[in-house]
Amino acid sequence: MKWTTLEKKWMKDPEFVKEAAKHEAEYQLARSLINARIKRKLTQSKVARIAKTDQATISRLESGISKPSVSLLQRVANALGARLSIRFEI
């Protein structure tokens, strides 16, 4: 089953939508990191080496299961040649 098909099915469930909203920030962070890494043609290991961390840490960031510090995010952004932007939207 394709992801888009599964997502459409799940988005009809109010409980799923509520739970998904709780994790939107982690999802956006993960997608942004993955996209930047792929655009730069870097492996997780290479990003980790440049950011002075390990590959497992980058993997956890990309899976959305970690709660990283701002300093880690800044090191990863630097490793990707990217600018870190954190904001509150109202």
Side-chain angles (χ1 to χ4, degrees):
M1 179 179 288
K2 288 185 178 181
W3 167 252
T4 53
T5 304
L6 189 56
E7 185 180 30
K8 284 179 186 177
K9 178 182 174 186
W10 286 345
M11 292 306 281
K12 293 177 184 174
D13 178 355
E15 285 299 313
F16 176 82
V17 172
K18 182 179 175 182
E19 202 57 35
K22 290 180 186 177
H23 301 284
E24 183 64 20
E26 290 90 345
Y27 175 78
Q28 292 299 328
L29 175 64
R31 291 278 13 125
S32 179
L33 172 54
I34 292 166
N35 289 338
R37 183 176 60 75
I38 290 170
K39 184 176 182 179
R40 296 284 195 248
K41 297 180 178 153
L42 296 171
T43 64
Q44 288 180 346
S45 295
K46 181 67 175 175
V47 172
R49 273 194 303 278
I50 297 168
K52 298 184 179 5
T53 189
D54 57 24
Q55 180 273 330
T57 298
I58 302 303
S59 178
R60 284 191 297 274
L61 285 173
E62 289 188 1
S63 71
I65 61 171
S66 70
K67 304 287 187 199
S69 67
V70 174
S71 64
L72 173 60
L73 292 177
Q74 187 60 63
R75 290 195 331 261
V76 172
N78 292 343
L80 292 167
R83 183 177 64 84
L84 178 63
S85 175
I86 301 171
R87 64 183 182 270
F88 293 95
E89 295 179 359
I90 298 177

